[in-house]
Amino acid sequence: MPRRRYRLVSDEDRDRIITRYEAGEDFLDTAAELRIPRTTAYEIIRKFVERGERRGRRPPVLDDEAKDFLVMLVEATPTITIRDFYHTLRQTFPGKPHVCNMTVSRALGGEHITLK
C-alpha cells in the first residue's frame, strides 16, 4: 500500500491561522477555507503558543557563518577530512549546537563541494 502524501501548509496560510487566533476569532473557519485539516490547525496553534513558532520548519543547524567557515577551510586545505572539519568547527564555534559528521557533509554538498 503506498504511503499517504501530506500536503505542506505554506507559511502564508500558517500566518493567516495564527492571525485569526491572536484576534480571538475562530481560526478553524480559516483552516476550513484553506482546506487544512482541523488537527493540523490545532497543531499550528499549539506550536505557536508553546514555542512562539510561526513557521513550520526548523531552523538550519549550521548557519551561514559556519558554512562560510567550512568553505574557507576547503579552499585553504583541500585534503581536509570530514572528521577534521567537525573538530575544527567545534573548536572555532564552541557556543553553536553540536553537529554530526553527516550534517557537515550535507552542508558542504549544498555549497557544491563534493567529497571522494
Side-chain angles (χ1 to χ4, degrees):
M1 182 172 190
R3 291 182 67 160
R4 180 178 175 186
R5 294 198 55 150
Y6 293 99
R7 184 176 72 92
L8 295 177
V9 179
S10 70
D11 292 337
E12 294 82 20
D13 290 347
R14 286 177 190 278
D15 286 339
R16 287 184 191 127
I17 291 172
I18 291 170
T19 302
R20 291 284 298 264
Y21 172 78
E22 289 178 322
E25 300 172 11
D26 188 14
F27 63 91
L28 293 176
D29 290 340
T30 303
E33 291 169 10
L34 299 171
R35 297 178 57 194
I36 296 172
R38 295 171 63 94
T39 54
T40 302
Y42 279 118
E43 191 67 19
I44 290 168
I45 297 301
R46 182 186 67 79
K47 286 182 181 178
F48 173 71
V49 170
E50 287 180 1
R51 305 181 208 154
E53 290 181 4
R54 292 187 80 90
R55 304 292 183 220
R57 294 173 276 306
R58 293 187 320 191
V61 177
L62 286 176
D63 59 1
D64 291 334
E65 181 184 19
K67 288 180 185 177
D68 291 341
F69 179 74
L70 291 175
V71 170
M72 182 194 69
L73 278 175
V74 168
E75 291 171 354
T77 314
T79 59
I80 192 169
T81 64
I82 291 290
R83 180 170 285 178
D84 291 338
F85 274 126
Y86 172 73
H87 290 298
T88 307
L89 192 65
R90 287 199 50 188
Q91 290 172 352
T92 306
F93 302 108
K96 294 198 187 265
H98 297 282
V99 296
C100 67
N101 292 341
M102 193 63 199
T103 303
V104 172
S105 179
R106 272 191 238 120
L108 290 171
E111 298 295 328
H112 303 292
I113 297 171
T114 58
L115 307 169
K116 292 188 179 196

